[in-house]
Amino acid sequence: MPPLKVLFVLGTRPEAIKLAPVYRRLREHPQEFQTRLVVTAQHRGPLDDALETFAMFPDYDLDIMRPGQSLFDSTARIVTALEPVLVREDPDLILVQGDTTTSLCGALGGFYQRTPVGHVEAGLRTGDFAQPFPEEMNRSLIGRLATLHFAATEGATENLRREGVNGIFVTGNTGIDALLETRAALLSGRLRADGLPELDSRKKLILVTAHRRESFGASFERICQALAALAARSDIEIVFPVHPNPNVRDVVNRRLGGHSTIKLIDPLSYVRFVDLMSRAHVILTDSGGIQEEAPSLGKPVLIMREKTERPEAIACGTARLVGTDPSRIVGEVVLLMENTSEYLSRSRIDNPFGDGRASGRILDIIRSHFAIPSRSL
Ligand code: UD1
Ligand code: UDP
């Protein structure tokens, strides 16, 4: 029996981080799986960092990123560039992750090619197509296009069942596989996070990231206003790796560029970012992945959005939705600065998104779906 040809399509930093454990797992069994890695390069710098971190070497690099690309631009370029690759490779299974333009195009390409698609991190929903935009629609569409749905939690499974989807498996989130492995390597000294910004040990670190499209404009101005107000406190230091999107970068540089206690830096490589998360007192973010990672590090997260598709982070106590109103953001940070019992109750290590073994479960499910006899036992 020839090995099953599994083609990964990914394009942004979080997809690389979350597909890396699955890619590596499959490659440990070359008699059973033949892998192909297609990067659309919807992102360039942050994607290349993540690929290097996890020693992933693309077979195809579609190199589609353009400065200031619109959703129309990136979608059109990815679909067009994918066609010859899918036709030439004719894989048995296509794997996509999450809800980016790349994930949607990868799943659509699989459908056009009549190739089954596996969706990693299936079933996340806010129930509002405007938030996050366009990701909520992307993941709903992928839910229709895919054959195998790897859901991280029971809640995500329920969301898919309500939509009448079949082929759902609860696996945990592969991002937690990557995180636990990276954290262990940092703790043991096998990996080092050199080149971090210098931190002031007398101050508490507030780590910030933000990049959601629905916040471009007024909400980003409000987020900056909150950060400027927090920076006025003598016990706080803010580090903000700024997303390369010009809609983020321009407003952040304009509003916060002159503050001595706000360090605006380029996006960090994953290992450095994990190290910095573990040094933070509080994380302020609108990121999806960081909401999942923080409970493993015992870090309270304030989610600068109106809705989250990850209610488990709130239920486990680590995360709280704070929106983008400056007084709310400042008030919630101050609470975590000044109320120790509140802080302790929200910084326990207890991760509802995964136990670090999601990628192994995904491998087993693929094996059994395609009736591949295990040759490693
Ligand atoms: C994308 C995803 C989002 C995901 C995020 C992860 C979509 C629609 N959005 O958002 O779901 O959470 O990635 O970070 O798929 N840029 C660079 N260099 C880069 C990457 C981006 O300069 O390496 C700039 C470019 O001007 C680019 C712009 O950012 O045109 C937007 O990039 P894009 O991938 O379209 O969207 P993100 O906002 O990064
Ligand atoms: N991350 C990183 N460097 C940074 C910021 C984030 O490596 O400077 C990692 C983070 O640990 C998480 C992922 O990138 O694994 C989240 O990416 P992002 O917030 O861009 O996307 P989302 O998860 O919202 O789709």
Side-chain angles (χ1 to χ4, degrees):
M1 191 174 176
L4 189 84
K5 193 192 258 193
V6 181
L7 183 141
F8 292 72
V9 181
L10 60 90
T12 67
R13 168 177 66 199
E15 294 163 73
I17 294 169
K18 289 175 167 177
L19 282 175
V22 185
Y23 180 72
R24 183 183 302 169
R25 236 8 109 249
L26 296 195
R27 286 173 71 82
E28 284 165 0
H29 302 275
Q31 292 181 318
E32 296 170 64
F33 301 103
Q34 182 187 20
T35 59
R36 286 285 182 272
L37 177 56
V38 181
V39 303
T40 63
Q42 177 184 330
H43 279 181
R44 193 69 273 176
L47 171 72
D48 292 342
D49 271 344
L51 294 173
E52 192 186 328
T53 300
F54 294 103
M56 297 168 86
F57 303 103
D59 299 291
Y60 297 88
D61 187 333
L62 309 182
D63 199 22
I64 70 100
M65 198 208 83
R66 299 289 179 276
Q69 64 205 2
S70 72
L71 295 173
F72 297 91
D73 287 339
S74 44
T75 305
R77 271 201 303 278
I78 294 171
V79 170
T80 307
L82 263 182
E83 180 181 5
V85 176
L86 298 187
V87 170
R88 174 165 177 207
E89 290 294 342
D90 192 20
D92 300 304
L93 174 68
I94 293 174
L95 284 182
V96 298
Q97 193 282 334
D99 46 27
T100 66
T101 301
T102 292
S103 331
L104 174 62
C105 294
L108 189 61
F111 175 70
Y112 287 162
Q113 192 61 12
R114 297 173 188 268
T115 303
V117 172
H119 185 203
V120 177
E121 195 177 273
L124 298 188
R125 299 289 185 270
T126 59
D128 179 350
F129 285 131
Q131 302 187 60
F133 176 89
E135 290 83 0
E136 177 77 1
M137 180 58 89
N138 287 352
R139 56 203 178 204
S140 302
L141 295 172
I142 299 169
R144 293 303 301 267
L145 294 163
T147 304
L148 298 175
H149 307 263
F150 305 112
T153 64
E154 286 294 344
T157 304
E158 265 314 302
N159 292 337
L160 290 166
R161 281 207 193 101
R162 268 199 299 276
E163 293 173 13
V165 169
N166 296 313
I168 313 165
F169 304 88
V170 188
T171 60
N173 196 303
T174 55
I176 307 304
D177 300 17
L179 177 72
L180 295 185
E181 198 179 309
T182 304
R183 193 190 53 172
L186 278 167
L187 288 174
S188 72
R190 194 167 59 74
L191 279 178
R192 286 163 56 98
D194 298 326
L196 282 176
E198 214 170 291
L199 300 175
D200 184 340
S201 57
R202 293 161 303 175
K203 297 185 178 185
K204 295 237 163 41
L205 170 64
I206 311 294
L207 179 59
V208 183
T209 80
H211 70 278
R212 299 252 78 92
R213 265 184 164 69
E214 65 275 13
S215 294
F216 291 170
S219 294
F220 257 94
E221 298 278 349
R222 286 197 291 272
I223 289 172
C224 291
Q225 201 182 323
L227 296 177
L230 286 168
R233 282 181 65 115
S234 58
D235 54 355
I236 280 182
E237 177 171 39
I238 296 174
V239 176
F240 187 168
V242 183
H243 194 284
N245 195 322
N247 293 295
V248 178
R249 193 147 280 226
D250 294 352
V251 60
V252 168
N253 286 338
R254 175 169 48 78
R255 293 291 300 252
L256 303 174
H259 284 266
S260 59
T261 50
I262 305 183
K263 292 193 166 73
L264 301 178
I265 58 174
D266 283 334
L268 288 167
S269 69
Y270 179 65
V271 175
R272 291 193 186 101
F273 191 74
V274 170
D275 193 70
L276 204 58
M277 278 196 289
S278 11
R279 292 167 195 266
H281 187 65
V282 174
I283 302 175
L284 266 175
T285 191
D286 61 12
S287 161
I290 296 171
Q291 292 175 55
E292 293 156 350
E293 292 165 346
S296 282
L297 303 171
K299 300 297 172 181
V301 175
L302 299 174
I303 308 169
M304 298 187 292
R305 301 203 213 168
E306 304 306 325
K307 293 185 179 164
T308 179
E309 57 294 280
R310 292 161 169 99
E312 297 87 352
I314 293 174
C316 83
T318 320
R320 186 169 281 184
L321 265 182
V322 299
T324 56
D325 173 53
S327 58
R328 175 92 201 270
I329 295 174
V330 171
E332 292 284 350
V333 173
V334 169
L335 178 68
L336 288 166
M337 292 290 296
E338 295 180 355
N339 186 328
T340 309
S341 62
E342 177 77 18
Y343 185 85
L344 291 175
S345 74
R346 286 162 63 185
S347 55
R348 281 194 305 264
I349 296 183
D350 172 19
N351 199 319
F353 296 105
D355 58 2
R357 291 161 48 209
S359 49
R361 294 190 188 101
I362 290 172
L363 177 145
D364 287 339
I365 294 159
I366 296 174
R367 214 180 235 158
S368 96
H369 181 82
F370 289 92
I372 308 173
S374 167
R375 294 176 207 166
S376 57
L377 298 178

